[in-house]
Amino acid sequence: MSEAVSISASRSGLIIREKEPANLEFPFASLTPVTPTNEFFVRTHFPIPAISAKDWTLTVDGEVEQELVLTYDDLLRLPSVTAPVLLECAGNGRAQLVPKAKGLLWDTGAVGTAEWTGVPLSAVLEKAGVKKGAVDVILQGADKGEVDDPKSPGVVHFERSLPLAKAMRPEVFLAYKMNGKDLTPDHGFPVRAIVGGWYGMASVKWLTHVTVTAAPFEGFWQSLEYAYWKRERERPTLTAVTEVQVKAQIARPALSEAVPGGKPYRVFGAAWSGESDVVRVEVSTDGKTWSEATLLGESVPFAWRLWAFQWNVPEATGQYRVMARATDTKGHTQPVKHDSDRRTYMINFAFAVEVEVV
Ligand SMILES: Nc1nc2c(c(=O)[nH]1)N[C@H]1C(S)=C(S)[C@@H](COP(=O)(O)O)O[C@H]1N2
Ligand SMILES: [Mo]
């Protein structure tokens, strides 16, 4: 590993939320079925580590019969899968919270769907032979540092565990290509985890270690950060953020867009849900009634679904509030208000895009 990589000018299509470390947001109004790599949001906690494919290895250890050290070529020789998978940062939408939240103020663009190619994590775990009684699989990245608030126990790597059952699922894989090309340094070159259905923090970039444990893992990045208050019989416990919550977002009209009165307008967006599919998207333009939008294309598990709605814009000029809300196969619909137990994560309440009819 050599010195940290910096972000190039090819990132000019993204909104800078933080320069160093790089935190860049996708302008959601540019929504397309698959997000181009140079428009895909970037979320980093530490400087981007520079790793060459030739020096990279993946160590698989802990509760396994056979410890493995795989090279990049070893990984590329294993059977691969290619699939579109959505990544959404657990803090996406934080800018909508009132009062103003701490942390990176993502608007609606800390989300994207790319086509990833890689090796199912299950294949690697099966090769190593998971011992009986194993419960968690820790994914560790090469990047590290010290966090002030909340305070980390000294220098920590970015890492995150999955329960063994999730780790063995086909939507969890070790990706080395994004949209048909080698990963870029900011998206985890040479190899990252992709954990379909879960918020982005589980999709560990610059992956170097996979460790199987016999006891539940309680690392910093899932017990203090990326954790929410779960209440069971009155007692709140900080619990790791996992599954993506159902959500619809509007790409067009954009905030404050001037919409011509007395004509039809195509409201357009995307909707998704973690380990479930979107069955319905509804749109409201009057703050009272909801009408069903058209779901476009086919439903693809773990990817987003585009939708559109024809709004017959009234003649009367002035401010209008356009809202969208989604429902998934499990029957979950977006709430009207953010639940403060979720802290500043898992933000999926339906909010309005204010536009000007002219
Ligand atoms: N090693 C490492 N992996 C990481 C992170 C990180 O800071 N370091 N950030 C996580 C978070 S919070 C998110 S939302 C996703 C974002 O992936 P992207 O930058 O490719 O969009 O990466 C995850 N994986
Ligand atoms: Mo994130």
Side-chain angles (χ1 to χ4, degrees):
M1 219 184 353
S2 66
E3 80 285 5
V5 173
S6 72
I7 290 291
S8 74
S10 71
R11 295 288 172 274
S12 55
L14 292 161
I15 304 156
I16 298 177
R17 295 286 170 220
E18 188 177 22
K19 249 190 163 141
E20 196 54 60
N23 283 290
L24 312 170
E25 175 160 354
F26 166 59
F28 197 74
S30 314
L31 176 68
T32 51
V34 173
T35 315
T37 302
N38 65 351
E39 289 179 30
F40 203 96
F41 81 98
V42 174
R43 174 68 178 113
T44 59
H45 294 81
F46 303 123
I48 296 170
I51 310 170
S52 74
K54 161 171 79 48
D55 296 334
W56 177 86
T57 56
L58 179 70
T59 303
V60 182
D61 59 10
E63 298 296 305
V64 292
E65 303 295 346
Q66 172 74 54
E67 225 177 270
L68 303 176
V69 179
L70 300 174
T71 65
Y72 189 65
D73 288 339
D74 291 338
L75 193 75
L76 265 58
R77 270 196 290 270
L78 295 173
S80 70
V81 290
T82 296
V85 176
L86 168 133
L87 288 187
E88 179 182 17
C89 182
N92 187 37
R94 195 175 278 147
Q96 309 298 333
L97 297 181
V98 179
K100 184 171 182 270
K102 278 204 302 184
L104 290 167
L105 291 183
W106 301 109
D107 188 9
T108 51
V111 62
T113 290
E115 210 162 72
W116 308 95
T117 300
V119 175
L121 176 58
S122 63
V124 171
L125 289 173
E126 274 158 15
K127 217 168 140 71
V130 173
K131 286 189 181 164
K132 272 212 175 65
V135 294
D136 276 357
V137 178
I138 308 170
L139 308 173
Q140 188 184 76
D143 54 330
K144 57 179 188 233
E146 210 163 341
V147 183
D148 257 352
D149 184 18
K151 226 187 183 68
S152 63
V155 171
V156 288
H157 278 270
F158 188 86
E159 59 186 357
R160 168 67 211 228
S161 75
L162 309 176
L164 182 61
K166 179 72 180 176
M168 296 301 284
R169 290 200 43 92
E171 69 270 18
V172 179
F173 50 98
L174 310 179
Y176 50 81
K177 277 184 192 290
M178 177 180 191
N179 295 330
K181 299 229 167 77
D182 289 351
L183 292 181
T184 55
D186 46 0
H187 293 296
F189 184 84
V191 178
R192 74 175 303 168
I194 289 293
V195 179
W198 283 26
Y199 281 109
M201 75 275 133
S203 292
V204 174
K205 302 190 277 190
W206 312 293
L207 186 71
T208 55
H209 288 82
V210 170
T211 304
V212 182
T213 67
F217 182 61
E218 290 176 350
F220 172 75
W221 300 102
Q222 63 202 75
S223 58
L224 280 166
E225 280 286 60
Y226 299 107
Y228 70 102
W229 294 108
K230 188 173 181 175
R231 287 175 201 261
E232 259 155 352
R233 282 174 268 105
E234 301 298 300
R235 181 188 284 267
T237 331
L238 269 182
T239 306
V241 169
T242 57
E243 193 187 345
V244 170
Q245 304 293 303
V246 64
K247 190 190 256 188
Q249 281 191 177
I250 298 170
R252 302 300 298 275
L255 181 64
S256 300
E257 188 171 319
V259 175
K263 288 187 191 156
Y265 181 98
R266 187 174 185 260
V267 181
F268 168 66
W272 57 88
S273 187
E275 295 172 342
S276 183
D277 295 327
V278 170
V279 291
R280 185 162 62 248
V281 172
E282 296 157 290
V283 172
S284 173
T285 54
D286 63 4
K288 292 189 290 272
T289 56
W290 293 88
S291 311
E292 209 156 315
T294 306
L295 299 178
L296 307 174
E298 299 290 308
S299 174
V300 178
F302 309 108
W304 60 24
R305 181 105 187 245
L306 302 194
W307 55 266
F309 171 75
Q310 181 176 308
W311 177 23
N312 295 313
V313 185
E315 298 275 357
T317 58
Q319 267 218 340
Y320 284 78
R321 292 161 57 82
V322 184
M323 296 178 78
R325 70 174 182 206
T327 303
D328 66 17
T329 24
K330 290 180 182 164
H332 294 136
T333 299
Q334 292 177 246
V336 294
K337 190 173 160 288
H338 182 66
D339 176 352
S340 62
D341 278 354
R342 293 181 178 184
R343 301 164 81 203
T344 65
Y345 305 118
M346 305 152 77
I347 304 150
N348 74 327
F349 68 101
F351 66 89
V353 174
E354 285 171 14
V355 299
E356 198 68 35
V357 171
V358 295

